[in-house]
Amino acid sequence: MNQRRSSLGKDLVGLELLTAEQILTILNTAEPFKEISERRIKKVPVLRGKTIVNLFFEASTRTRVSFEFAEKRLSADTVNISSSGSSVVKGETLVDTARNLEAMRIDMVVMRHGSSGAAKFLAERIPSSVINAGDGNHEHPTQALLDMLTIRDHFAKIEGLKVCLVGDILHSRVARSNIYGLLALGAEVAVCGPKTLLPLGITELGVTVFSRIEEAIQWADVLNILRLQLERMEGGFLPSLREYNQVWGVSRTRLEQAPKDLLILHPGPMNRGVEIDSDVADGPHAMILQQVTNGVAVRMAVLYLLAGGAPDTAEAAKGGVEV
Ligand code: CP
C-alpha cells in the first residue's frame, strides 16, 4: 500500500526499537488530529480508499473502539474480526487468516493477540502494515503513546519527569511499552509492586524499583496504576485482593502524604477497590478519561504515518488532503 515511505517503517509492533524522534513524531502528529473529534462532523478524507482490518483475538473495549473511531474519522474502510466469529475457531492459523484477508486487498491490520510476539510474527509474513494493539505481556505501543501524550499535555514536557508504574508489572504489556517510550524521551521511570508481580531482571531495563507504595508516592510526579491481570494468574501471586488493596492500593489517604499533587493515570479497565480506590479514580488529579480521549488522536496519528503521511502535513491533512 505504502507508495510513500512511512517515517515509522512498515509496522508498529512496539516502542522498544523506536527512536525518541519517531516517538515524538507520533505525539506531535496526534496534536492536530485531536481537534477532529471535537467537530460536529468528525470525519476527514485522509485515509479514503484504504482498507483496515481490526483483528481482535482478546477482549478489548478501549483499544478496539478507539482504533475503529480513528479509522472511521480518517475515512478508511474498516472490518472487525474477533476470534470467536472467525474461522480461527475451526483451526485456521493466524497467517492463513491474514493471507486470506490480504487476498481481498487490505492495507493494514490492527491486531490484539494473547501471545507475546504475535504482532511481529504476522508483520514478518504479510506485506500489509501491522499495528500491535497488545500482544500477550510483550507490548501495547499505542497505549503507552496515549499515556505519554496525556503526561505531556499536563506538564508540557516528559523529559526529567518521574513516572512510576504501579502494580502488576509482570503481566503488563502497558508497563513494558511505557518503560521503553518514557526512557527514550528522557523521563525517570520506576516500578512498584509485590515481588511476585515484578519480572526478573526488571532493573536491567533502566528503572528504579520501589518495594513500598508509600516510597513511590514520595518520589513520583506521575503514577500509572496498572490493573491486576487476574486472568493471566494461576494463583500463588497474591494472598488476596483485599490484602493487595491494603498494601499496594492507591487511596486518597496515601496520596495525601505526597509532597505534591501527583498525576494519576490508569490504562483501564480498572479494578476499583483493588489497585485504585474510587475516590482516586474519580478524583481531581485522575486523567483516566483524558487518556481515552487522547487514544483516538494517537491512533489517528499512527494510521496516518504508517500510510505514508508526512508528519509536517498532518495539519493540512485534516483540512482534506488525502495520504
Ligand atoms: N487499555 C486497554 O488496552 O483497554 P482495553 O483492553 O479495553 O482495550
Side-chain angles (χ1 to χ4, degrees):
M1 173 198 72
N2 299 327
Q3 290 107 9
R4 267 171 287 175
R5 226 173 102 75
S6 146
S7 53
L8 301 181
K10 180 174 87 70
D11 311 292
L12 180 65
V13 166
L15 299 191
E16 184 177 7
L17 300 178
L18 289 197
T19 63
E21 190 187 354
Q22 286 173 313
I23 294 170
L24 284 173
T25 294
I26 299 171
L27 300 186
N28 295 341
T29 303
E31 289 296 343
F33 284 131
K34 282 178 181 173
E35 183 264 333
I36 295 171
S37 295
E38 306 306 324
R39 295 181 186 175
R40 192 171 63 83
I41 297 171
K42 302 172 180 54
K43 215 171 184 66
V44 291
V46 174
L47 294 186
R48 189 157 58 189
K50 306 281 190 254
T51 304
I52 304 176
V53 176
N54 299 313
L55 201 51
F56 276 69
F57 293 110
E58 266 194 348
S60 168
T61 300
R62 277 147 292 271
T63 313
R64 185 176 55 78
V65 175
S66 178
F67 265 112
E68 197 176 345
F69 278 146
E71 292 154 6
K72 290 198 155 97
R73 288 175 193 177
L74 295 179
S75 302
D77 296 314
T78 68
V79 178
N80 298 316
I81 299 175
S82 62
S83 50
S84 60
S86 75
S87 289
V88 169
V89 292
K90 300 178 195 164
E92 186 169 61
T93 66
L94 173 60
V95 173
D96 279 336
T97 300
R99 284 187 181 146
N100 278 272
L101 296 169
E102 290 227 294
M104 294 181 243
R105 305 292 177 250
I106 61 169
D107 298 295
M108 290 193 204
V109 176
V110 176
M111 184 173 74
R112 170 166 291 191
H113 201 284
S115 299
S116 302
K120 181 166 184 282
F121 178 85
L122 188 64
E124 288 168 349
R125 284 163 180 81
I126 62 171
S128 296
S129 293
V130 173
I131 303 175
N132 183 5
D135 61 331
N137 58 15
H138 173 231
E139 281 222 43
H140 191 349
T142 57
Q143 178 66 47
L145 288 163
L146 73 88
D147 293 345
M148 289 190 281
L149 187 63
T150 308
I151 293 171
R152 196 175 73 166
D153 283 352
H154 187 79
F155 292 100
K157 64 171 190 176
I158 290 179
E159 190 171 2
L161 290 176
K162 294 175 173 172
V163 182
C164 186
L165 298 147
V166 180
D168 184 357
I169 313 295
L170 180 68
H171 299 103
S172 179
R173 50 200 176 205
V174 175
R176 232 165 292 273
S177 289
N178 263 278
I179 290 169
Y180 295 134
L182 288 164
L183 289 176
L185 297 190
E188 289 183 57
V189 184
V191 296
C192 177
K195 269 209 176 86
T196 49
L197 294 179
L198 296 179
L200 282 175
I202 183 77
T203 51
E204 286 160 27
L205 296 182
V207 301
T208 302
V209 176
F210 289 112
S211 51
R212 294 180 65 239
I213 185 69
E214 290 81 1
E215 289 171 349
I217 286 172
Q218 290 300 314
W219 174 85
D221 299 303
V222 181
L223 293 185
N224 196 344
I225 304 163
L226 305 174
R227 181 174 72 90
L228 276 189
Q229 300 199 27
L230 299 167
E231 74 279 15
R232 298 190 208 274
M233 300 182 197
E234 281 167 15
F237 287 93
L238 298 167
S240 74
L241 296 185
R242 194 163 158 269
E243 192 168 314
Y244 182 86
N245 178 255
Q246 281 172 359
V247 179
W248 301 100
V250 178
S251 63
R252 196 174 60 184
T253 318
R254 285 205 162 112
L255 288 180
E256 279 167 0
Q257 304 305 312
K260 58 196 153 194
D261 289 337
L262 305 190
L263 190 76
I264 301 297
L265 304 180
H266 192 307
M270 289 185 280
N271 296 308
R272 285 174 183 262
V274 181
E275 71 266 2
I276 186 168
D277 285 2
S278 277
D279 50 8
V280 174
D282 303 325
H285 306 298
M287 293 286 146
I288 296 166
L289 294 178
Q290 190 54 42
Q291 288 173 264
V292 178
T293 304
N294 278 342
V296 178
V298 156
R299 287 164 180 133
M300 284 170 140
V302 168
L303 294 163
Y304 171 75
L305 291 169
L306 285 180
D312 51 2
T313 58
E315 188 64 46
K318 153 205 105 164
V321 179
E322 293 172 29
V323 169

